[in-house]
Amino acid sequence: MKNLVLLIFNIIMLSIGNVGGPLISRLYFIHGGKRIWIPSMLQTVGCPIILIPLALAYFQRRKLQGPQAKIIFIQRQEFIASAGVGIIAGLDGYLNSWGPAKLPVSTSTLINATQLAFTALFAVLIVKQKLTAYSTNSVVLLIVGSATLALRANGDRPQGESSKDYMLGFIMTFVGAVFYGLMLPLIELIYMKAKNAVTYTTVLEIQMVIGISATVFCTVGMIINKDFQAIPREASQYQIGETMYYMVLVWCAIIWQFALLGLVGVIFYSSSLLSGIIGAFLLPVTEVLAVILFHEKFQAEKGVAIFLALWGFVSYFYGEYEQGKKEKMMKLKKTESQMSQQLDMDQTSHVV
């Protein structure tokens, strides 16, 4: 029951980040932001906030165990692997930032929906994830639902955007979806290959390393591109004011951190495939909010996509429920069989 509550908590965090992240990034660009590396770095720069729950957990352990309480749980193997995944996360953040920069939210979220297919593919190849009929049905429904959004994608190039920039944004976002689909099973693999039992404290430490590694990667990109020098100039020319410019950057960092914390939590308490399912399920939600906030058109195809997304989401969780019941019944039968065998042995021993 405790794990279910924590899973729901992480799903909520992931949902806030997955829905709010693309919207706040788009807000940066539509009001005059032009730097790709800045929102890329903001996706992970909020990772030091993880120190708060880590510190609280340590003081709780110290209270119970005294000075012998461990400070750090992550091992060298997990540290190196997490740093590697962090570089992939930084690259993925850079590629995905091209979507809000060059494409309407409806188009960029559509392209991002393909990450579910790549997550399923890499989950099968890397962590040997078994696709049940329900999860396969869910994947198909979510991809079909997202594909319906492409029916009106032609001619949605933002005003003033060149065809070259539009196509570049399209390609970069697609490649970003591939890397995102690869990253999720790799995080799950780190948990599986860990030398010691993985606790939620270990999960937070792994996320901390991923966040720092990704931030360093993007910071190097900002230095090369001279983005730090451009920030004051860009802030002074921001269409809704200099104060709002910095507020957008701060909230961008906070909201994206919700996404990353929720992501590693969902993978830990469930699977990388579920995190992909949730991401795809939330795409139509982002579509609706884009219509409300940025006045994008809401076609019938978006309504169909929302319906299919809900269907796919319910299909996945129903499959998990059925699988849980099946495993429970198998354990019960195994226990009954063992008890019956023990009883037979006792009776035989008594006769002898």
Side-chain angles (χ1 to χ4, degrees):
M1 184 63 184
K2 181 182 177 182
N3 283 354
L4 178 61
V5 172
L6 290 172
L7 174 60
I8 292 172
F9 176 70
N10 281 281
I11 287 174
I12 292 172
M13 285 202 298
L14 179 61
S15 300
I16 293 171
N18 271 17
V19 172
L23 295 172
I24 195 74
S25 296
R26 182 61 178 162
L27 184 66
Y28 163 77
F29 287 110
I30 63 176
H31 290 298
K34 298 186 182 302
R35 301 280 168 166
I36 302 293
W37 281 110
I38 291 177
S40 306
M41 186 267 291
L42 291 174
Q43 291 183 31
T44 54
V45 74
C47 62
I49 199 172
I50 300 173
L51 289 173
I52 297 174
L54 284 176
L56 293 174
Y58 169 70
F59 287 124
Q60 181 65 25
R61 290 196 304 275
R62 188 176 175 84
K63 185 178 178 181
L64 297 173
Q65 303 171 12
Q68 292 79 25
K70 290 182 67 174
I71 300 176
I72 299 173
F73 284 83
I74 190 171
Q75 300 293 309
R76 181 182 178 184
Q77 175 181 303
E78 293 97 69
F79 180 88
I80 294 172
S82 300
V85 172
I87 293 174
I88 295 175
L91 178 59
D92 176 65
Y94 172 74
L95 293 167
N96 278 327
S97 291
W98 282 86
K102 305 297 180 183
L103 308 173
V105 174
S106 57
T107 304
S108 61
T109 52
L110 158 67
I111 302 167
N112 279 325
T114 59
Q115 58 86 12
L116 179 59
F118 293 114
T119 299
L121 173 62
F122 288 124
V124 171
L125 295 176
I126 295 174
V127 297
K128 311 305 179 185
Q129 174 82 46
K130 292 182 180 180
L131 292 177
T132 66
Y134 291 105
S135 58
T136 303
N137 180 57
S138 180
V139 168
V140 172
L141 285 169
L142 288 164
I143 292 176
V144 170
S146 300
T148 61
L149 301 175
L151 297 176
R152 295 286 183 91
N154 291 329
D156 68 342
R157 188 171 74 247
Q159 188 176 2
E161 202 76 68
S162 69
S163 298
K164 180 181 177 181
D165 284 344
Y166 181 88
M167 287 306 301
L168 182 61
F170 195 100
I171 294 169
M172 290 290 207
T173 306
F174 179 78
V175 176
V178 177
F179 276 98
Y180 188 83
L182 171 64
M183 183 175 65
L184 304 189
L186 286 177
I187 294 174
E188 188 172 356
L189 185 64
I190 292 174
Y191 299 159
M192 293 171 61
K193 297 292 184 180
K195 292 183 177 180
N196 299 325
V198 178
T199 64
Y200 194 61
T201 299
T202 314
V203 170
L204 291 177
E205 290 174 353
I206 288 172
Q207 175 54 35
M208 186 76 176
V209 175
I210 291 174
I212 292 173
S213 179
T215 302
V216 169
F217 178 86
C218 292
T219 301
V220 171
M222 288 182 65
I223 293 171
I224 294 173
N225 203 44
K226 298 182 178 179
D227 284 346
F228 286 104
Q229 297 92 316
I231 288 177
R233 182 174 67 254
E234 194 171 72
S236 65
Q237 299 172 355
Y238 205 56
Q239 295 172 4
I240 54 178
E242 187 172 348
T243 302
M244 284 300 298
Y245 175 83
Y246 290 110
M247 286 293 291
V248 168
L249 297 190
V250 169
W251 277 105
C252 191
I254 293 172
I255 291 173
W256 276 116
Q257 196 56 44
F258 273 100
L260 293 173
L261 278 171
L263 175 67
V264 294
V266 169
I267 294 174
F268 176 66
Y269 288 111
S270 183
S271 68
S272 57
L273 183 59
L274 175 59
S275 65
I277 294 283
I278 292 170
F281 165 71
L282 293 170
L283 291 175
V285 179
T286 309
E287 296 277 344
V288 173
L289 290 176
V291 169
I292 296 171
L293 298 174
F294 303 137
H295 308 292
E296 294 187 4
K297 293 180 179 180
F298 187 88
Q299 297 104 341
E301 290 80 6
K302 294 181 181 179
V304 173
I306 292 173
F307 170 75
L308 291 173
L310 288 170
W311 186 3
F313 197 62
V314 170
S315 175
Y316 178 84
F317 275 102
Y318 181 75
E320 289 295 295
Y321 170 74
E322 287 293 321
Q323 186 68 20
K325 274 204 316 183
K326 185 178 179 181
E327 290 176 357
K328 188 176 181 180
M329 288 295 295
M330 289 177 65
K331 286 181 180 179
L332 183 61
K333 288 181 179 179
K334 185 177 180 181
T335 302
E336 290 176 348
S337 176
Q338 289 174 344
M339 289 177 65
S340 177
Q341 289 176 2
Q342 184 64 40
L343 183 60
D344 290 341
M345 289 175 64
D346 290 342
Q347 288 177 346
T348 302
S349 175
H350 181 70
V351 170
V352 173

